[in-house]
Amino acid sequence: MSQFLRALTHVKRLAVSDATLKSLSFAEDLLGNLPTFHNTKQLIMTSGETADKALIALLKAIPNLESLVFDMDPPCSDDEEEDYVAGNNADGELNLDNKDDDWKLDLVTPGCLLVHLKSVCFKDFTGNPGEIKLVQLILKIAKALQTMTISSFHYSALGNRKSKELEAEITSLPRASTSCVFKFPSWHS
């Protein structure tokens, strides 16, 4: 896989599936095996859930990234949808402080991660804990971020969480960029 990726180091736009990330996550010395994508300006993550450590390694290998798109598949059935939607604590609030997130610490280590990132788009957003953590972490470290777009494939994919409440919580998260604008195009039907 890493040899294949080396052949793509000059691309400006890179789309990576969760299967590719999972494959990369098995590599020894993942950071050492990944080439650097100096020309890549846009990264598109497709399919289901991502392998966190491989995603972080890939983000580190794309130093000039300006646009990040998460184009994930929504849940298949109503039962899966309810299990997939972000868990609330007993008070109905988001729980963003999970101390078991080792990859989270790796993401915020000093370096040039997401220095040039200007836009992030979450398509098919459901509000699951992984998505919320990604939103939180990107907001914390992306100083050049101008726009964060969060849309849902199905308005009902947000489950029992009201979109207004989730929108208010997301927009109140701490952020490194003072000029970041949030867009929620499909939430207000």
Side-chain angles (χ1 to χ4, degrees):
M1 182 62 72
S2 62
Q3 287 179 339
F4 175 71
L5 289 174
R6 287 187 202 292
L8 301 175
T9 57
H10 298 293
V11 300
K12 293 182 181 180
R13 183 175 179 217
L14 180 64
V16 178
S17 71
D18 62 331
T20 301
L21 280 182
K22 286 176 185 172
S23 173
L24 287 173
S25 68
F26 292 111
E28 290 182 34
D29 187 24
L30 181 57
L31 282 174
N33 286 324
L34 276 179
T36 303
F37 296 85
H38 291 288
N39 296 327
T40 303
K41 302 292 183 189
Q42 183 179 40
L43 175 63
I44 302 166
M45 299 302 308
T46 62
S47 294
E49 302 232 358
T50 61
D52 296 328
K53 290 183 181 182
L55 174 60
I56 302 310
L58 185 59
L59 290 173
K60 287 181 177 182
I62 307 174
N64 299 312
L65 186 65
E66 294 178 2
S67 173
L68 180 56
V69 178
F70 293 95
D71 191 1
M72 305 304 194
D73 291 334
C76 300
S77 70
D78 289 341
D79 292 338
E80 271 185 80
E81 189 173 285
E82 287 177 17
D83 292 340
Y84 195 67
V85 172
N88 294 339
N89 64 19
D91 300 326
E93 296 175 5
L94 285 174
N95 181 8
L96 297 173
D97 298 319
N98 185 347
K99 304 217 185 305
D100 296 328
D101 294 329
D102 294 336
W103 67 274
K104 179 172 159 178
L105 297 175
D106 190 30
L107 179 62
V108 293
T109 54
C112 59
L113 187 61
L114 305 181
V115 171
H116 303 285
L117 188 65
K118 295 178 184 174
S119 70
V120 176
C121 179
F122 286 87
K123 297 180 179 180
D124 303 330
F125 190 84
T126 61
N128 75 53
E131 290 172 328
I132 297 294
K133 288 175 192 170
L134 278 172
V135 168
Q136 182 185 32
L137 293 171
I138 290 167
L139 288 173
K140 272 187 178 178
I141 61 175
K143 293 180 181 179
L145 191 63
Q146 296 171 0
T147 307
M148 180 171 281
T149 304
I150 302 176
S151 62
S152 176
F153 181 70
H154 293 290
Y155 183 73
S156 65
L158 298 176
N160 61 3
R161 178 188 311 269
K162 294 185 179 175
S163 63
K164 287 279 189 191
E165 292 170 6
L166 185 56
E167 181 180 332
E169 289 193 48
I170 289 171
T171 58
S172 68
L173 291 172
R175 54 193 140 179
S177 171
T178 57
S179 61
C180 179
V181 174
F182 291 94
K183 296 180 181 180
F184 299 91
S186 64
W187 289 27
H188 307 290
S189 298

